Amino acid sequence: MTTDNLNPHLTDGFHLVIDALKANDLNTIFGLVGIPITDLCRLAQAEGMHFIGFRHEQNAGNAAAISGYMTQKPGICLTVSAPGFLNGLTALANATVNCFPMILISGSSEREIVDLQQGDYEEMDQLNAAKPYCKAAYRINKAEDIGIGIARAIRAAVSGRPGGVYLDLPAQLLSQTITAEHGKKSIVRVVDPVPRQIPAQDAVKRAMDILKGAKRPLILLGKGAAYAQADADIRALVEQSGIPYLPMSMAKGLLPDNHPQSASAARSYVLAEADVVLLIGARLNWLLAHGKGKTWGKEPKRFIQIDISPTEVDSNVAIEAPVIGDIGSCVNALLADIASLPKPSAEWIGAIAERKEKNMKKMGLTLDEAPSPMHFHSALRVIRDVIKKNPDVNLVNEGANTLDYCRAIVDMYKPRKRFDSGTWGIMGIGMGYAIGAAVTSGLPVVAVEGDSAFGFSGMEVETICRYKLPITVVVFNNNGVYRGTDVNPTGHHHAAPTVFVKNARYDKMIEAFGGKGYHVTSTDQLEAALTEAIAAGKPALINAVIDETAGTESGRLTNLNPAAGATKKA
Ligand code: ADP
Ligand code: MG
């Protein structure tokens, strides 16, 4: 290791990067070694940081991103140059889109060769490649600037609307030396990295006036609300106002999903019928049908929006009362005058209760079936029951049908415990989020994965076994994407585009690395396996056989998927 032989009066780029991260309580690096950052990874570990090494940078980046979401501190991902950087870039872009704070730090090749395009090893202008996909991008060229460069990256990631930051470290920088004293003075500890942003009083009053005039009010909680860690105040606002609420997917558990004011089981009804909607850290993007159209009913809505980002307002529909600030401060300001708010009418609350009961009864019948092989509902009923008994479990979820049904069926009881495909509806976050959540929380993780979704990051089961993490992966195996029944219409032996090897045994994958594999075909077996695996707290993978005819095309996103049949008919 080159850095061990350093003159005690000198320091170098390697040490300064570690010192700057540690000075800001950033003690975990998710990454993958190689030129020119291998020694940086070794040194980080030698200096007491946690280094979690992955098999692909995208998964390391996703782990960093989810850790940022859980802690309000930027998750750190460290990669090699060009290809490693590009692999990490997907995660950086996904973090930015989801408003998760992370810093992707990549080593890069020599500037003078890259800039003249003379063909260096892994040559690439990474800084400019990163710029369109992140909130901010910086390069540090001098060792004495490492302290300020990392401070800048931290602030950019966590202040205001959080997001991904790229930090470019040329190989030369890491071996540059300066005096130890100069180095020490150059380290910056960021003061108040997430400054509170207090909303204006007139904006709060405008919002309260609209709420007071509401006949059928609704609160919509997004993952921004979960991120903000203002759990007690948000709960107080919901409970003291008496207004029914809907959690977006990752806001599930911010209040327990079995809360009497949750309108989840009457989602379509309340979206269509509400007259005033208070958005708290939720965007009116595709996940909310852009705030208009059939989903939102006939009458135009009056929207109040709490958000940290002023440009989010009016992004899709007119917002009558924007309240701009951090969610904690905004909710607090609304709470100050909450006693003056009339309670929602018994008529509105009663109509929602009636819908909820009807829908839950109908759903209950399907949930209680126990076919073998299982269908999505019966398998998720088991997951729902086991999570209820283990409310501290972190739940990771991706897939098509597996995602859509799990979101609707599996209740969460605590904030920031559900991590899923998020704003992009991305596949491939599974093992990265699972590892990030396990490392960050020290608590068990259950990753409910469609068989296709699992494939994007499946090799990380080795990482899970290597670090002995308390992760149980449940693969919903229905032999393909959406379903496993398509055939090649030409009769050629090549499989249809949507299908995989029949009856695959994903459980054997984890056994190759010393983890525990389970193969289950019934609800009883699934319940026993999952209960045992969570209690054991060790790496496990359950291959849960799902009826290959059970899934629907694109899950619940059928409307977004243009079908060839439609053009033929036209
Ligand atoms: P969901 O998909 O759950 O609806 P989104 O990711 O669409 O949530 O929306 C999150 C919103 O929360 C973003 O507009 C973001 O600007 C906002 N946000 C994130 N953190 C905070 C915070 N601490 N205070 C206020 N708003 C925040
Ligand atoms: Mg959203």
Side-chain angles (χ1 to χ4, degrees):
M1 196 167 138
T2 50
T3 45
D4 276 342
N5 310 322
L6 204 61
N7 173 330
H9 301 294
L10 292 179
T11 187
D12 61 11
F14 290 101
H15 286 83
L16 287 165
V17 170
I18 305 302
D19 292 349
L21 292 173
K22 282 172 69 177
N24 287 286
D25 303 321
L26 299 173
N27 297 312
T28 302
I29 294 177
F30 302 95
L32 208 165
V33 301
I35 296 171
I37 51 116
T38 309
D39 266 356
L40 188 58
C41 301
R42 287 200 183 106
L43 184 68
Q45 188 171 59
E47 300 270 317
M49 291 183 78
H50 299 292
F51 181 84
I52 310 294
F54 284 73
R55 306 301 294 261
H56 189 289
E57 292 87 350
Q58 189 176 314
N59 307 320
N62 285 327
I66 212 62
S67 159
Y69 171 70
M70 295 168 80
T71 60
Q72 291 190 343
K73 292 199 296 189
I76 305 295
C77 176
L78 184 57
T79 82
V80 302
S81 33
F85 154 78
L86 282 174
N87 287 344
L89 191 57
T90 306
L92 186 70
N94 184 57
T96 306
V97 164
N98 281 281
C99 315
F100 300 160
M102 76 173 274
I103 304 174
L104 173 67
I105 304 178
S106 296
S108 60
S109 304
E110 302 315 338
R111 290 256 41 90
E112 51 276 24
I113 304 178
V114 173
D115 290 346
L116 267 175
Q117 299 181 24
Q118 293 175 313
D120 204 355
Y121 165 76
E122 297 194 345
E123 175 181 299
M124 182 177 215
D125 182 0
Q126 296 167 199
L127 183 68
N128 282 308
K131 272 181 187 161
Y133 304 108
C134 58
K135 188 177 166 191
Y138 307 109
R139 177 186 293 129
I140 305 176
N141 288 298
K142 294 191 332 211
E144 67 213 58
D145 289 337
I146 287 173
I148 206 75
I150 287 183
R152 210 158 157 58
I154 292 171
R155 232 177 239 295
V158 293
S159 63
R161 171 182 279 181
V165 174
Y166 175 61
L167 193 59
D168 195 80
L169 304 185
Q172 272 177 356
L173 171 81
L174 294 171
S175 45
Q176 267 180 40
T177 53
I178 57 174
T179 68
E181 201 193 327
H182 187 184
K184 201 168 170 193
K185 282 193 192 137
S186 72
I187 299 299
V188 177
R189 185 175 165 89
V190 177
V191 177
D192 195 13
V194 189
R196 283 198 302 152
Q197 298 189 28
I198 315 289
Q201 272 312 317
D202 56 334
V204 173
K205 182 171 182 311
R206 195 183 295 121
M208 283 305 281
D209 286 347
I210 294 175
L211 269 185
K212 280 177 196 165
K215 292 205 171 62
R216 295 178 305 281
L218 175 68
I219 294 175
L220 245 162
L221 300 173
K223 62 179 165 313
Y227 174 82
Q229 299 192 16
D231 309 338
D233 282 345
I234 290 172
R235 188 169 185 147
L237 181 73
V238 170
E239 290 182 345
Q240 289 175 33
S241 70
I243 299 175
Y245 75 95
L246 271 185
M248 296 297 289
S249 172
M250 281 179 58
K252 279 165 69 71
L254 182 45
L255 281 83
D257 276 335
N258 56 358
H259 193 284
Q261 281 171 261
S262 167
S264 287
R267 190 174 194 275
S268 314
Y269 177 75
V270 290
L271 287 178
E273 294 299 321
D275 64 342
V276 170
V277 178
L278 167 59
L279 298 159
I280 307 184
R283 288 172 285 185
L284 286 173
N285 55 19
W286 69 281
L287 287 157
L288 284 168
H290 303 282
K292 57 197 171 195
K294 225 171 64 200
T295 308
W296 289 88
K298 285 188 230 74
E299 305 295 326
K301 308 281 167 208
R302 305 180 73 188
F303 284 107
I304 304 164
Q305 183 161 29
I306 297 181
D307 205 288
I308 198 124
S309 167
T311 52
E312 184 56 40
V313 174
D314 300 332
S315 57
N316 285 269
V317 293
I319 302 293
E320 205 174 322
V323 183
I324 300 306
D326 71 89
I327 285 171
S329 301
C330 293
V331 167
N332 223 284
L334 291 182
L335 271 173
D337 195 22
I338 198 79
S340 71
L341 198 69
K343 289 277 173 314
S345 71
E347 199 187 340
W348 176 228
I349 301 297
I352 297 171
E354 200 178 296
R355 288 300 185 304
K356 271 172 69 172
E357 198 180 323
K358 202 175 99 199
N359 292 343
M360 279 156 83
K361 221 179 200 166
K362 199 170 133 203
M363 179 78 120
L365 296 176
T366 324
L367 291 178
D368 288 342
E369 292 168 8
S372 176
M374 298 173 282
H375 52 40
F376 287 96
H377 289 79
S378 56
L380 286 164
R381 197 267 301 152
V382 172
I383 309 255
R384 179 196 70 182
D385 294 348
V386 176
I387 294 288
K388 188 170 188 183
K389 286 186 198 140
N390 299 275
D392 280 321
V393 162
N394 296 291
L395 186 77
V396 172
N397 185 208
E398 62 176 335
N401 294 280
T402 307
L403 176 75
D404 291 340
Y405 292 126
C406 181
R407 183 177 54 231
I409 293 169
V410 176
D411 286 339
M412 305 303 295
Y413 302 90
K414 295 192 175 180
R416 295 172 296 284
K417 290 268 176 207
R418 187 186 152 87
F419 314 114
D420 65 27
S421 302
T423 306
W424 259 347
I426 196 174
M427 295 300 124
I429 47 84
M431 298 305 102
Y433 280 7
I435 293 167
V439 168
T440 305
S441 69
L443 293 169
V445 175
V446 172
V448 179
E449 301 273 312
D451 51 348
S452 164
F454 173 68
F456 289 76
S457 63
M459 190 62 208
E460 302 296 346
V461 295
E462 188 276 331
T463 310
I464 292 171
C465 292
R466 187 167 12 112
Y467 293 101
K468 304 182 172 59
L469 296 171
I471 297 174
T472 306
V473 183
V474 186
V475 177
F476 274 32
N477 186 357
N478 66 345
N479 293 344
V481 184
Y482 311 134
R483 49 203 283 135
T485 48
D486 277 11
V487 286
N488 184 335
T490 67
H492 189 279
H493 73 271
H494 280 176
T498 54
V499 304
F500 296 142
V501 165
K502 298 260 183 220
N503 308 318
R505 292 289 301 270
Y506 292 98
D507 50 311
K508 305 258 184 206
M509 279 177 67
I510 202 160
E511 286 173 358
F513 306 107
K516 171 98 179 148
Y518 298 87
H519 175 69
V520 304
T521 58
S522 72
T523 48
D524 286 349
Q525 289 170 355
L526 175 58
E527 184 158 4
L530 186 57
T531 305
E532 180 180 289
I534 292 174
K538 293 191 184 130
L541 191 152
I542 302 172
N543 182 54
V545 179
I546 305 287
D547 182 352
E548 65 172 6
T549 67
T552 56
E553 179 97 357
S554 305
R556 287 197 184 156
L557 300 184
T558 18
N559 62 323
L560 297 182
N561 189 19
T567 41
K568 265 188 224 146
K569 263 180 241 149

